[in-house]
Amino acid sequence: MYRTHTCGELRISDIDKLVTLAGWVQRSRKMGGMTFVDLRDRYGITQLVFNEEVNAALCEQANHLGREYVIQIKGKVNERFSKNANIPTGDIEIIVSELNVLNTSLTPPFTIEDNTDGGDDIRMKYRYLDLRRNAVRSNLELRHKMTIEVRKYLDEQGFLEVETPVLIGSTPEGARDFVVPSRMNPGQFYALPQSPQTLKQLLMVSGFDRYFQIAKCFRDEDLRADRQPEFTQIDCEMSFVEQEDIINTFEGMAKHLFKAIRNIELTEPFLRMPWNDAMKYYGSDKPDLRFGMKFVELMDVLKGHGFSVFDDAVYIAGICAEGAAHYTRKQLDSLTEFIKKPQIGAKGLVYARVEADGNVKSSVDKFYTQEILQKLKEAFNAKPGDLILILSGNDAMKTRKQLCELRLEMGNQLGLRDKNKFACLWVIDFPLFEWSEEEGRLMAMHHPFTSPKPEDIPLLDTDPAAVRANAYDMVINGVEVGGGSIRIHEPKLQAKMFEILGFTPEKAQAQFGFLMNAFKYGAPPHGGLAYGLDRWVSLFAGLDSIRDCIAFPKNNSGRDVMLDAPAELDQSQLDELNLIVDVKE
Amino acid sequence: MYRTHTCGELRISDIDKLVTLAGWVQRSRKMGGMTFVDLRDRYGITQLVFNEEVNAALCEQANHLGREYVIQIKGKVNERFSKNANIPTGDIEIIVSELNVLNTSLTPPFTIEDNTDGGDDIRMKYRYLDLRRNAVRSNLELRHKMTIEVRKYLDEQGFLEVETPVLIGSTPEGARDFVVPSRMNPGQFYALPQSPQTLKQLLMVSGFDRYFQIAKCFRDEDLRADRQPEFTQIDCEMSFVEQEDIINTFEGMAKHLFKAIRNIELTEPFLRMPWNDAMKYYGSDKPDLRFGMKFVELMDVLKGHGFSVFDDAVYIAGICAEGAAHYTRKQLDSLTEFIKKPQIGAKGLVYARVEADGNVKSSVDKFYTQEILQKLKEAFNAKPGDLILILSGNDAMKTRKQLCELRLEMGNQLGLRDKNKFACLWVIDFPLFEWSEEEGRLMAMHHPFTSPKPEDIPLLDTDPAAVRANAYDMVINGVEVGGGSIRIHEPKLQAKMFEILGFTPEKAQAQFGFLMNAFKYGAPPHGGLAYGLDRWVSLFAGLDSIRDCIAFPKNNSGRDVMLDAPAELDQSQLDELNLIVDVKE
């Protein structure tokens, strides 16, 4: 061992001990005849002291240490004259008697500090240096701790972790698969799993009863801040359960994690909100409930008064931003610009301030009497000083989503989205299907194995779009951290689902035959849930992107810029795989 | 919840309780007016009783239950008249008052029993049914328990589990990579990791200090019983350590697993054997030390007596099988056939029996006097009743490997390879390089990042083939369960290694540039080890193949016959990936 102690370990009680430490030179400074070096490792920083008067040669050697040199020192623990209360080792220093340079270092391309001077691109390229920074490494320490706690909870609940294969078959219903050519089966390809969904259902058929896996999943999708081509799910499935059992089990896990990781005791049951309400009141299936600004529909109040925008609208609704009446014209204009951005796509914004005297002053005053505006105020229960913001449109769902963006933006602007406050809820009663304009047919909102609510099964024949699913998402602070469903376990109901989804029996057999066949041999009632590990860690770490809790993430083009992957193959590799690359210009 | 208890839970203390159970019909039998059904789940079997006299309709319903039907029952716990001491629930039965069939089942293609009538192929195709068998499921329960214990041990030792990416770059030095075409980077491919080797070394450069990961690894190799295209490693790396530290840490882990999983307390340090001795005395770098039969070299004793086979040989050695002198001519002939098999390739076998009177009787008596044969006996310290088996050849290494096979075969035949006995050792001091006939150059025996022993570094210039590595394998019962090395951390030494391995600086840079660059920024001394999880589980479960401890294994052609993967892709998928499949006939 190159050390007797780590750099985070020594305390005042260790004074006079002879110790050996090893680590990286964080910084060094010369003061008078003394040279001070901060030695860093994963565990902390310890101050080293070299005294010119005591040992000039050693001190000279220390003066030549560069940043990030790897050194080993021997010395004696000494009480510091001026203590540093900011670090746990701040009471002591080491009077060095021997110095060995284990490795030198080029000057790093950015500073290894919590607030680094390195931009995103350079830090990704030198990710191994970026990972030296406390701010980044601590996210991965948190991730480690979370998986330990997840496994502890699930093991105690009788779940078995089972590894399912990574090289499986392609399942075109869903996102795009990554595929792997098989050399031993020429012309054929494996696919990487988008999730272990079908395999965990097979494990239920096998009687595994309670399964989980912290599993890598792969989706070849275009990327954005909270998407990576490979990501990690806490994937779970249970047999002989109903929705209530799954919700209880995984709400228990969430509470366990809050307590173990953040020391937050959540004693109340999580709120449950039907999907319809989530859309109606927040315009989102993952509402951020850290703050209010619930939607209020205003068709009754504002329609039919000569303001043609509203008179022609099929949907009018607004939010009330408490105490925001002070917003200037400029601020309001910029909100209008915000909601007109192409990603949001609203046409315009109507606002109304409640003034100190209770009067309402709006941007459409000329169309509305004070009497109507008072009704508007009442609809929101608004007080003097509040600001009402109103959108309208020809498509209720689209307008709701625009209003949702406006609500979240106001939450940001008013500081209502505190990263240390957590609002947890279950969104339940999702629709079983959603209409796809692109495909011109109903698609499974979750996946084709999701069970309809028993009481809605008759609607499958008459009005499938109205059928609700036994499906549920857990949402925290507007992030969908997990979701799942009760699955179909009856072969007949599964066949009907495929039929509604437009599969011919032949196509269903070709794609999901293995699962449908398995179900003929005694499938138990079952259901499950998958949590997004990356999202959970980001949430607990207060991160804006899942990238920062992944050791070696990929950029938006799916590239690992550090490894320079993907890359071209040798011709011999392509030949062995019976492949010709044919890139169209 | 569909049940109040599992099928393995009820005891005599539960008598008269009203319970609800759910599970699979294991078997049912009619006796007089009673129908008995064994209800099975993961946790056990509970006997259900239906009484025709009490409820004829219910009993009639029970008579129609088929094997593997999924049912739910309600009933009262009753003390059994004739108890079954073989199962934990054998004292009780359930007098059923309600029966719900949750799902029917076709007759399974093989029996769901510990000793099934199903052959390998059918069991692989219906793996979800095979997994219902206790014998198979218990392997996966053991695997779960092992990973829990591994993580517990490593977490307590301060290791952080870090997920490294699965989509990385291709590293041609080593086995063949599986590759993944990138849609977003046309004409380019990711590779799946053969191991996280370089990534864990980067984590050491990052100062992670102690890393582990239970990681899926991928090798596109031709398969056999202990190889799968995807397999699982317990991958570990430590900084600021020497070989001794790693050996201690991971010997500690092995001992923890033996205790936690098999309740075996291993108090002695594991034996350590230099690679040279392992080859000399056992003809293998993974000797099975559950039994003796150490090789004895016989050049001095047997050469130069007119037996041309031995006189021409450059290597003669034998083993002594204690008490095997009773072997018949037929048994000896079959041993000769065994070692002449093409996979082994020996030319012939010489034997010598030590008779009751101490005289030695050999198959080459006419060339050797009894005096010489007595010297042979003494060389082995052989006793009356022992059997000496001798091989010779023109290539010492090849003959040793043949003799190794013979030794293992004799161990099997004499019942010396007890699966409940464990012989653990470290093989150390591996050669750094081995000569590749195929490539006509030195190759890294482990991988190009393995550190030479410091005292052998001068030999790199003069006699590289003689350089020993700071590398070690843990071997249990002739199985290499893990191995690793101290890595090179000095950029100059790494460059020299690449030079000896025949890399131009440009090629080294192209393939391992990311690692060599990282090493310029302060790499700490580091080393590590990877355990094969599948092999560990097989060992503890007493399995002959790693397949039986993998939930969904692949066959020898790399196919998952249950999923029918790999398979052909749609043309549209190939087009998106800019690929043309060109299978040569």
Side-chain angles (χ1 to χ4, degrees):
Chain A
M1 198 73 86
Y2 282 76
R3 66 191 174 205
T4 55
H5 296 77
T6 70
C7 295
E9 199 175 347
L10 294 166
R11 299 285 182 277
I12 197 96
S13 56
D14 296 304
I15 276 171
D16 285 341
K17 271 191 193 155
L18 292 173
V19 299
T20 307
L21 300 184
W24 285 262
V25 172
Q26 175 76 20
R27 66 181 72 81
S28 67
R29 55 200 183 283
K30 240 180 114 136
M31 290 177 67
M34 313 280 272
T35 296
F36 297 94
V37 172
D38 281 351
L39 189 65
R40 186 197 71 233
D41 66 11
R42 177 183 128 199
Y43 312 94
I45 283 182
T46 298
Q47 179 169 292
L48 312 178
V49 183
F50 300 82
N51 191 331
E52 203 175 64
E53 276 183 31
V54 176
N55 189 334
L58 192 68
C59 196
E60 179 57 20
Q61 210 189 330
N63 288 339
H64 285 93
L65 293 174
R67 276 205 289 140
E68 302 304 318
Y69 275 39
V70 186
I71 63 170
Q72 180 193 45
I73 61 97
K74 299 186 186 203
K76 193 193 255 189
V77 184
N78 188 46
E79 181 166 2
R80 274 211 218 179
F81 180 69
S82 58
K83 300 195 168 54
N84 178 351
N86 297 323
I87 58 172
T89 62
D91 288 349
I92 60 97
E93 62 193 6
I94 313 291
I95 309 294
V96 178
S97 54
E98 188 183 325
L99 167 64
N100 301 310
V101 175
L102 300 175
N103 224 336
T104 60
S105 172
L106 299 180
T107 304
F110 51 87
T111 55
I112 312 293
E113 306 277 357
D114 284 0
N115 289 311
T116 181
D117 57 358
D120 276 356
D121 291 350
I122 193 106
R123 289 193 295 114
M124 289 287 272
K125 179 159 185 215
Y126 294 89
R127 183 68 170 174
Y128 44 85
L129 297 180
D130 200 28
L131 287 169
R132 283 188 191 163
R133 299 193 305 121
N134 280 327
V136 182
R137 199 197 52 243
S138 64
N139 296 335
L140 291 160
E141 288 176 345
L142 177 71
R143 190 181 178 107
H144 164 77
K145 201 174 165 201
M146 273 201 64
T147 59
I148 292 278
E149 292 297 334
V150 164
R151 288 191 167 95
K152 192 174 152 195
Y153 179 84
L154 292 172
D155 183 49
E156 279 168 5
Q157 300 281 325
F159 285 79
L160 294 175
E161 186 163 23
V162 180
E163 287 179 64
T164 55
V166 173
L167 299 172
I168 63 168
S170 191
T171 51
E173 183 79 359
R176 210 182 275 107
D177 284 322
F178 280 107
V179 298
V180 180
S182 167
R183 178 182 56 88
M184 288 168 74
N185 300 275
Q188 301 191 335
F189 293 74
Y190 303 99
L192 304 181
Q194 296 183 29
S195 91
Q197 181 62 36
T198 52
L199 293 159
K200 71 176 173 178
Q201 291 194 248
L202 289 176
L203 287 173
M204 292 305 104
V205 175
S206 298
F208 271 56
D209 207 71
R210 296 186 161 205
Y211 143 93
F212 85 100
Q213 184 181 195
I214 300 188
K216 266 285 170 74
C217 303
F218 306 86
R219 283 185 203 164
D220 185 10
E221 287 178 339
D222 299 326
L223 307 172
R224 45 176 213 251
D226 64 343
R227 288 266 173 84
Q228 283 275 310
E230 49 181 304
F231 57 98
T232 306
Q233 278 187 190
I234 306 167
D235 190 50
C236 308
E237 196 81 0
M238 305 170 81
S239 288
F240 299 116
V241 290
E242 291 158 309
Q243 175 168 312
E244 192 61 24
D245 304 307
I246 295 187
I247 285 186
N248 286 336
T249 303
F250 293 99
E251 188 170 315
M253 180 164 129
K255 287 176 175 174
H256 174 78
L257 292 175
F258 268 102
K259 177 68 188 152
I261 305 294
R262 295 288 310 237
N263 199 27
I264 294 173
E265 197 105 40
L266 299 173
T267 50
E268 297 294 310
F270 290 3
L271 188 74
R272 299 191 194 175
M273 187 183 288
W275 180 87
N276 268 329
D277 284 0
M279 297 311 296
K280 184 176 165 76
Y281 295 119
Y282 302 95
S284 166
D285 57 3
K286 40 180 196 281
D288 183 347
L289 297 192
R290 281 176 294 184
F291 63 105
M293 294 193 214
K294 218 167 149 173
F295 295 3
V296 173
E297 293 186 11
L298 301 166
M299 297 284 282
D300 291 350
V301 182
L302 297 178
K303 230 175 141 79
H305 296 275
F307 178 45
S308 65
V309 172
F310 285 174
D311 289 351
D312 296 345
V314 301
Y315 178 85
I316 312 167
I319 55 175
C320 174
E322 246 179 277
H326 59 78
Y327 261 49
T328 61
R329 182 61 196 252
K330 198 174 158 198
Q331 283 175 297
L332 289 163
D333 284 349
S334 121
L335 279 184
T336 306
E337 269 166 47
F338 171 81
I339 53 115
K340 280 179 156 175
K341 282 195 301 185
Q343 309 94 293
I344 300 182
K347 292 260 159 58
L349 171 68
V350 167
Y351 62 85
R353 292 191 184 93
V354 184
E355 307 200 308
D357 58 7
N359 277 339
V360 176
K361 185 117 190 59
S362 95
S363 55
V364 287
D365 271 356
K366 57 178 166 181
F367 299 105
Y368 295 96
T369 61
Q370 189 59 226
E371 191 188 355
I372 300 289
L373 291 174
Q374 286 298 320
K375 276 191 191 156
L376 176 69
K377 182 175 92 173
E378 280 157 30
F380 287 97
N381 226 341
K383 301 178 309 299
D386 291 353
L387 175 69
I388 293 167
L389 300 168
I390 303 169
L391 296 184
S392 67
N394 296 320
D395 178 322
M397 258 331 169
K398 279 189 185 159
T399 310
R400 283 186 178 118
K401 285 175 183 166
Q402 293 157 0
L403 191 56
C404 168
E405 295 294 340
L406 179 63
R407 176 178 173 270
L408 293 175
E409 175 61 19
M410 288 307 293
N412 286 336
Q413 292 193 10
L414 299 174
L416 301 173
R417 304 182 76 187
D418 179 355
K419 284 187 173 168
N420 289 306
K421 188 176 156 186
F422 297 96
C424 309
L425 85 151
W426 290 99
V427 176
I428 56 173
D429 298 352
F430 277 81
L432 187 59
F433 303 104
E434 62 186 340
W435 181 258
S436 164
E437 291 292 345
E438 200 181 321
E439 301 265 330
R441 64 171 173 104
L442 287 177
M443 306 274 283
M445 194 155 201
H446 280 79
H447 51 61
F449 316 112
T450 305
S451 176
K453 289 201 170 288
E455 61 267 34
D456 288 0
I457 288 179
L459 291 174
L460 284 174
D461 291 317
T462 56
D463 185 9
V467 174
R468 291 165 308 159
N470 266 334
Y472 32 81
D473 277 358
M474 186 187 281
V475 174
I476 305 182
N477 293 1
V479 175
E480 180 208 322
V481 293
S485 63
I486 296 296
R487 325 300 181 188
I488 296 168
H489 68 280
E490 304 97 333
K492 275 186 194 164
L493 185 56
Q494 187 66 64
K496 168 151 234 134
M497 269 298 278
F498 283 130
E499 190 193 315
I500 294 172
L501 292 170
F503 283 69
T504 59
E506 294 70 30
K507 196 177 154 203
Q509 188 61 37
Q511 281 186 25
F512 298 108
F514 63 97
L515 191 67
M516 287 164 73
N517 289 340
F519 276 25
K520 291 176 187 155
Y521 292 93
H526 63 288
L529 172 142
Y531 276 129
L533 176 63
D534 310 290
R535 289 187 185 172
W536 265 109
V537 178
S538 301
L539 189 80
F540 278 162
L543 302 173
D544 293 319
S545 159
I546 62 167
R547 246 178 234 176
D548 295 323
C549 68
I550 294 172
F552 301 106
K554 292 184 177 59
N555 72 9
N556 277 351
S557 315
R559 293 199 70 80
D560 186 320
V561 293
M562 179 189 72
L563 298 178
D564 198 19
E568 286 176 16
L569 293 185
D570 288 348
Q571 187 61 43
S572 62
Q573 278 175 290
L574 291 171
D575 290 346
E576 275 192 322
L577 297 171
N578 304 288
L579 289 181
I580 296 170
V581 170
D582 177 38
V583 179
K584 289 105 194 156
E585 292 310 314
Chain B
M1 198 73 87
Y2 281 75
R3 66 193 173 203
T4 56
H5 296 77
T6 71
C7 295
E9 198 174 349
L10 295 166
R11 298 289 181 274
I12 197 96
S13 56
D14 296 305
I15 276 171
D16 286 340
K17 271 190 195 159
L18 292 172
V19 299
T20 307
L21 300 184
W24 285 262
V25 173
Q26 175 75 19
R27 66 180 73 80
S28 66
R29 53 199 184 283
K30 239 177 114 131
M31 290 176 69
M34 312 279 273
T35 296
F36 296 93
V37 171
D38 281 352
L39 189 67
R40 187 197 70 233
D41 66 12
R42 178 183 128 198
Y43 310 93
I45 283 182
T46 298
Q47 180 169 291
L48 311 179
V49 184
F50 299 83
N51 190 329
E52 203 174 63
E53 277 182 30
V54 176
N55 190 335
L58 192 68
C59 195
E60 179 58 19
Q61 211 190 330
N63 289 338
H64 286 92
L65 292 175
R67 276 207 289 140
E68 302 303 319
Y69 274 39
V70 186
I71 62 171
Q72 180 193 43
I73 61 97
K74 301 188 184 202
K76 192 193 257 190
V77 184
N78 187 46
E79 180 166 5
R80 273 211 219 180
F81 180 71
S82 58
K83 299 195 167 55
N84 178 350
N86 296 323
I87 57 171
T89 60
D91 289 348
I92 59 96
E93 62 192 6
I94 312 292
I95 308 295
V96 178
S97 55
E98 189 184 323
L99 166 63
N100 301 310
V101 175
L102 300 175
N103 224 336
T104 60
S105 172
L106 298 180
T107 303
F110 51 86
T111 56
I112 312 294
E113 306 276 357
D114 283 359
N115 289 310
T116 182
D117 56 0
D120 276 356
D121 289 350
I122 193 108
R123 289 193 295 111
M124 289 286 271
K125 179 160 184 211
Y126 294 89
R127 184 67 170 173
Y128 44 87
L129 297 180
D130 201 27
L131 287 169
R132 283 187 192 165
R133 299 193 306 121
N134 280 326
V136 182
R137 199 197 54 242
S138 64
N139 296 333
L140 291 161
E141 288 175 347
L142 176 71
R143 188 181 180 108
H144 164 76
K145 201 176 165 198
M146 275 200 63
T147 58
I148 291 278
E149 291 298 334
V150 164
R151 288 192 167 95
K152 192 175 151 191
Y153 178 83
L154 291 172
D155 182 48
E156 278 167 6
Q157 300 282 325
F159 285 78
L160 293 176
E161 185 163 24
V162 180
E163 287 178 64
T164 55
V166 172
L167 299 171
I168 63 168
S170 193
T171 52
E173 184 79 358
R176 208 182 278 107
D177 285 322
F178 281 105
V179 297
V180 180
S182 167
R183 177 183 56 87
M184 287 167 77
N185 299 274
Q188 301 192 332
F189 293 73
Y190 303 99
L192 304 181
Q194 295 183 31
S195 89
Q197 181 61 36
T198 51
L199 292 159
K200 71 178 175 179
Q201 292 193 246
L202 289 177
L203 287 173
M204 294 303 104
V205 174
S206 299
F208 271 57
D209 206 72
R210 299 187 159 204
Y211 143 93
F212 84 101
Q213 184 181 196
I214 300 189
K216 266 286 170 74
C217 303
F218 304 86
R219 282 182 204 167
D220 185 11
E221 287 179 337
D222 299 328
L223 306 173
R224 45 178 212 250
D226 64 342
R227 288 265 174 84
Q228 282 275 310
E230 49 181 305
F231 57 98
T232 306
Q233 278 187 191
I234 305 167
D235 191 50
C236 307
E237 197 80 2
M238 303 170 80
S239 288
F240 300 115
V241 291
E242 290 158 311
Q243 176 167 311
E244 192 62 24
D245 304 307
I246 295 187
I247 285 186
N248 286 336
T249 302
F250 293 100
E251 188 169 317
M253 181 163 128
K255 286 175 175 175
H256 174 79
L257 292 176
F258 268 103
K259 179 65 187 156
I261 305 294
R262 295 288 309 237
N263 199 27
I264 293 172
E265 196 103 41
L266 299 174
T267 50
E268 296 295 309
F270 290 4
L271 188 74
R272 298 191 194 177
M273 186 182 288
W275 181 87
N276 269 330
D277 286 1
M279 298 311 295
K280 183 176 165 77
Y281 296 118
Y282 302 96
S284 167
D285 57 3
K286 40 178 195 279
D288 184 348
L289 297 191
R290 278 174 297 184
F291 64 105
M293 295 194 211
K294 221 168 149 172
F295 295 3
V296 173
E297 291 185 13
L298 302 165
M299 296 285 283
D300 293 350
V301 182
L302 297 178
K303 229 177 143 78
H305 296 275
F307 178 46
S308 65
V309 172
F310 285 173
D311 289 352
D312 297 344
V314 302
Y315 178 85
I316 313 171
I319 55 174
C320 173
E322 246 179 276
H326 59 78
Y327 260 51
T328 61
R329 182 61 196 250
K330 199 177 154 196
Q331 282 176 298
L332 290 162
D333 284 349
S334 116
L335 279 184
T336 306
E337 271 166 47
F338 171 81
I339 55 110
K340 280 178 154 173
K341 280 193 305 185
Q343 309 93 292
I344 300 182
K347 292 260 157 58
L349 172 69
V350 166
Y351 63 84
R353 293 192 182 91
V354 186
E355 305 200 308
D357 58 7
N359 278 340
V360 175
K361 186 113 189 60
S362 96
S363 55
V364 287
D365 272 356
K366 58 178 166 184
F367 299 105
Y368 295 96
T369 62
Q370 187 59 226
E371 193 188 351
I372 301 288
L373 293 175
Q374 285 298 319
K375 276 194 191 153
L376 177 68
K377 183 175 89 174
E378 280 157 30
F380 287 97
N381 226 341
K383 302 175 311 299
D386 289 353
L387 174 69
I388 293 166
L389 300 168
I390 302 168
L391 296 184
S392 66
N394 295 320
D395 179 321
M397 260 327 172
K398 277 189 186 159
T399 311
R400 282 187 179 120
K401 284 176 185 167
Q402 293 158 359
L403 191 55
C404 168
E405 296 292 339
L406 180 63
R407 175 181 174 270
L408 293 175
E409 175 62 17
M410 288 306 293
N412 286 337
Q413 292 192 10
L414 299 173
L416 302 173
R417 305 182 76 190
D418 179 353
K419 285 188 172 167
N420 290 306
K421 190 177 154 184
F422 297 96
C424 308
L425 85 152
W426 290 101
V427 176
I428 57 174
D429 298 351
F430 277 81
L432 187 60
F433 302 104
E434 62 187 339
W435 180 258
S436 164
E437 293 292 347
E438 200 182 322
E439 302 265 331
R441 64 170 173 106
L442 288 177
M443 307 273 283
M445 195 158 202
H446 280 80
H447 51 62
F449 317 112
T450 305
S451 175
K453 287 199 170 291
E455 61 269 34
D456 288 1
I457 287 179
L459 292 174
L460 283 174
D461 290 318
T462 56
D463 185 9
V467 174
R468 291 166 309 158
N470 266 335
Y472 32 82
D473 278 358
M474 185 185 282
V475 174
I476 305 182
N477 294 1
V479 175
E480 179 210 321
V481 294
S485 63
I486 297 294
R487 326 300 181 187
I488 297 168
H489 68 280
E490 303 97 336
K492 274 186 194 166
L493 186 56
Q494 187 65 64
K496 168 150 234 132
M497 268 299 278
F498 282 131
E499 189 193 317
I500 295 172
L501 291 171
F503 282 70
T504 60
E506 294 71 29
K507 196 176 155 204
Q509 188 60 38
Q511 281 185 26
F512 298 108
F514 63 96
L515 191 67
M516 289 165 70
N517 289 341
F519 276 26
K520 292 176 187 155
Y521 292 94
H526 62 288
L529 172 141
Y531 277 129
L533 176 63
D534 310 291
R535 289 186 185 172
W536 265 110
V537 177
S538 302
L539 190 82
F540 278 160
L543 301 173
D544 294 317
S545 160
I546 60 167
R547 245 178 237 177
D548 295 323
C549 68
I550 294 173
F552 300 106
K554 293 186 176 53
N555 72 9
N556 277 352
S557 314
R559 293 198 69 79
D560 185 321
V561 294
M562 178 188 72
L563 298 178
D564 199 20
E568 288 175 14
L569 293 185
D570 289 347
Q571 188 58 44
S572 62
Q573 279 175 290
L574 293 171
D575 290 345
E576 273 192 324
L577 297 170
N578 303 288
L579 290 180
I580 296 170
V581 169
D582 178 38
V583 179
K584 289 103 194 158
E585 294 309 314

